[in-house]
Amino acid sequence: MSLHSRAPFLLTLAGLLLAASISSAQEEGAEPSAAPRVRGSIIEDRAARKLLEAGDARIESDETTKAVEIWQSVIERYPRSRYRFDAHMRLGNYFLERDRAYDRARVHFQSAASEENRDEAVRAEATMRMGMCFYEARNFGKSFSVMREVIEKFPVSPQVNGAYYYIGLGHFQLGHYSRAIDALEKVGTTLAGTDEAIEKVEAGKRLFVKIEDADLAALEPGTPIEVQCETGSGDVEIVKCYSVGRNVRLVLGSIPTELGVPQPKNGTLEVKGDDQVRVIYIDQHTADKTFDRPVDRKVTVVGDGVVAITDGAFGETLQGVVLGKSVNIQITDADRDQSGEADTIEAVAEVYRRKTDEEIEAELISSAATTEGDSTSTTPRATDGSLIDDTDDRRQKIDRLKLIDRVAITLQEVRITRRAPTETEEEPTETPAAGAADTPMVAGSPADAMETGPIHTGVFRVVVPLVNSSTPDQEDNTLQAETGDLIRVTWLDEKHTGEGVRSVIADARCVEGNLGGVRVTRSVISDQELRIRTRLKTAEALTNIGNRYKEFGLKTNASAKYDQALAVCDEVMRDARVLGGGLLEQTYVQLWKVYYEMDNLPLAAAMAQRLQRDFPNSGFVDDALLQLADVARKQGDLRRAIGIYSRLVAMQTSQLRGEAQFGIAQCYELMAEAATDAAATQLYDRSFQEYKKVFDNFPDSGRVGEAVAKMANYYYQQKDYARAVDTFETVLGEYPDARFLDVILFNYGRCLYRMNRRNQARQRFDQLIGEFPESPLAADAKKISDALAKAGF
């Protein structure tokens, strides 16, 4: 049975449901409920699967272009195979996460989410990722729609929690904080079908308790339900659970856990690695008419191990180690803290070297000879009977690394001091005892020797000597390697939130020179493309620092950081122009962002235009234009804003056309507010027509709900209350994620009041108060509601 650190455990007795927490993602999918409508042969499935694996191997070798070609060939060569959906998912994930090509990614996710795919788990994941594509493209309205589809079509899938998460993030981006909180609170409240067997909680994470009981409907709102949590080591804590949203039959509570000595009733559940937590709920009235029956569930404490190769202070993870120095290894695994003493664990440190081309060819020939001599082997054939050349597949399966040296290491649990070192402090050094130069050393804090008491950290460390040698000896306790070799530390995590034994690995490359005592002070990158990417990351970091200064009103400091970012971009521009492609596009984007943050709108506009001219298919062009138009609108340059918005509306491939059309309508509305008499009336009419275009031409836009609400407000101003009410009902029923729902509810109530439907009007005002208590309209709504109540409505 598996459980993530936030994954749920379930208890079903007398209408009770207890859960530890909800996994943000589960890798195991449900078995297909039925065969696909169109199926390929077993031979085709086997060949398609081998191609998928070949593509995966190319990804691991960082040959992304070739991997994409291989996955695409699966779809083209085996259109009837069930593995084509896996290829679509891989391509979609690549375009979403690596290439930022959200439209291309969405096409593949749509294919994987089609009804032809009978694997419901894959369809749920594909649908959720479609919504992620819209979210990343800032089409929040469409993202909301797709995420709601996940919730409705796959109500028991783990993707429901992800859907609520992205709905919450979308509302946060739009400034709808109450709705963001409402959606984010639902993350973790939906249990997948497999969650009933989950009985693990990760030490150091929150333990969530979820109770579902029909009797809870009789409780007053806000009344807590108390649940007792007991650990095997002696801690006892009370968790108060509160109702979730409007579901009065379901309550949710949580308590933090940490490794440590039990201290009952302190609000934190202290556990140790081999502990069990017993959760007890008193069911006061059961279905069989018994009273005060205790219902409990035991949860095992586990920890997901993490392996890292660090600097000498064990503060930063490193990707390289220096020959002639030491390898500092740290493993964090909470469930191995099983006593108050310094516990120990065993792991393996190995040295690997890349095989030569001759060695790889020799293995390939040997593999081919073995296959030909094996009478049971089957040569793959295509549907027309022709042989399929699987040389590339066999080449990809060959391990390109060979083992050079291996050392079994023992790591000891250390005490972690909470005092952070100052900048002037040097790296703490560990000196081996005399005669023990070849022995791995346990590394802890220098304060360990001074502090007393139990050790409960779950952090294990060791220092292993690394020698520059071409003649390794696997019998000693020293790692021997050469420049370019790979140091790999492997830890077998037997108890974790997943199934079986989990192999946790950390890698670092051997280099010559000096990385410094604690951190890398300078690195030389020979690859030009990698150097440019690194410099662009530096420019991005400087820009972000400038943004933070600007937020705090430190304009001088912000300008200095922006100038540094511009200098970095100017430095890499020449090389980026030579290489072209994605690097040049990223340079343009970074320059545009810097100019935009500096409020240098003319240069930002120039960079956006250059980006559009040189990279017309870039995913950043429409985003840049939209932000420029928004800035012009906020600055009062409405005609210029309308021109930019119109350019964006004319971009047929953009996902932001609806946003731009909405911006045009906003501009005309602002013009109307500044005008008088007949001119104002004419501009309001024009604004209404522009909002109507959003509804008519861009039904998938995230602004449809707001556009319809604006139309309803127009009807209200025209005193066409019946049409206004119909439109308000459309917004509330079909667009629950529309902006300004508080304004919509307020105006809806006013319309009903004007139509002498006072009882219904009061209901809408009360709804506004209950759902949007932080709204500036809540106070007025409360006054109107109280007045209606006094009048008997």
Side-chain angles (χ1 to χ4, degrees), residues 36 94 114 126 173 199 325 362 404 533 574 755 782:
Y94 172 82
S114 67
Q173 293 290 338
E199 298 175 347
K325 301 286 186 178
I404 300 299
R533 292 185 187 277
R574 181 179 302 174
M755 299 173 69
K782 182 72 166 58

Side-chain angles (χ1 to χ4, degrees), residues 743-790:
V743 178
I744 293 171
L745 287 170
F746 189 78
N747 289 336
Y748 190 5
R750 292 168 67 191
C751 283
L752 293 170
Y753 182 88
R754 297 283 186 182
M755 299 173 69
N756 291 319
R757 294 161 62 178
R758 306 296 172 82
N759 285 325
Q760 297 177 33
R762 184 188 171 196
Q763 291 175 5
R764 292 305 176 184
F765 289 127
D766 289 342
Q767 183 179 351
L768 188 159
I769 297 167
E771 296 184 5
F772 303 96
E774 79 287 357
S775 170
L777 296 173
D780 290 338
K782 182 72 166 58
K783 292 178 182 178
I784 298 173
S785 178
D786 290 345
L788 289 172
K790 289 181 180 180

Side-chain angles (χ1 to χ4, degrees), residues 471-698:
T471 57
D473 181 3
Q474 297 192 17
E475 299 300 324
D476 62 13
N477 291 318
T478 301
L479 289 175
Q480 297 166 336
E482 294 180 336
T483 302
D485 286 351
L486 185 73
I487 303 296
R488 173 166 293 171
V489 179
T490 305
W491 156 245
L492 298 180
D493 190 0
E494 297 179 353
K495 284 180 62 180
H496 54 93
T497 56
E499 295 280 357
V501 178
R502 173 170 162 261
S503 180
V504 189
I505 294 174
D507 291 339
R509 189 71 63 179
C510 294
V511 298
E512 288 185 311
N514 188 0
L515 292 180
V518 177
R519 57 180 60 84
V520 178
T521 57
R522 180 174 179 83
S523 58
V524 178
I525 303 174
S526 58
D527 183 83
Q528 188 179 29
E529 181 177 346
L530 181 58
R531 185 183 67 83
I532 293 176
R533 292 185 187 277
T534 303
R535 299 297 289 163
L536 288 174
K537 287 290 185 182
T538 302
E540 182 180 9
L542 289 169
T543 305
N544 290 334
I545 294 172
N547 293 343
R548 302 293 84 77
Y549 279 133
K550 187 167 67 172
E551 289 175 1
F552 290 110
L554 303 174
K555 295 183 178 180
T556 303
N557 302 65
S559 297
K561 292 301 177 183
Y562 292 144
D563 290 340
Q564 293 178 34
L566 282 178
V568 173
C569 291
D570 291 340
E571 176 190 335
V572 302
M573 177 62 80
R574 181 179 302 174
D575 293 335
R577 282 174 177 161
V578 173
L579 294 177
L583 287 178
L584 183 59
E585 177 188 1
Q586 291 178 34
T587 306
Y588 285 169
V589 170
Q590 189 58 49
L591 277 170
W592 162 69
K593 288 182 177 179
V594 176
Y595 287 134
Y596 181 81
E597 295 298 342
M598 294 177 70
D599 295 326
N600 193 335
L601 299 183
L603 288 179
M607 289 309 306
Q609 291 171 357
R610 182 180 297 183
L611 181 66
Q612 184 179 10
R613 183 184 68 243
D614 295 352
F615 300 95
N617 297 322
S618 171
F620 296 98
V621 171
D622 48 0
D623 189 69
L625 289 175
L626 183 64
Q627 289 201 21
L628 288 174
D630 287 344
V631 169
R633 174 173 54 82
K634 292 175 182 178
Q635 292 180 340
D637 193 351
L638 300 178
R639 291 295 178 186
R640 180 171 179 267
I642 290 174
I644 300 174
Y645 283 133
S646 299
R647 287 174 55 194
L648 184 52
V649 172
M651 295 173 60
Q652 298 298 320
T653 59
S654 174
Q655 293 294 321
L656 300 178
R657 297 173 66 206
E659 293 272 349
Q661 180 61 53
F662 188 86
I664 293 173
Q666 283 182 305
C667 289
Y668 282 113
E669 185 177 10
L670 290 172
M671 290 179 180
E673 292 173 356
T676 57
D677 301 331
T681 302
Q682 185 177 3
L683 287 170
Y684 274 123
D685 290 342
R686 177 64 184 272
S687 174
F688 173 81
Q689 295 300 326
E690 297 298 334
Y691 282 126
K692 192 171 185 299
K693 287 181 182 179
V694 179
F695 179 77
D696 294 336
N697 301 338
F698 307 103

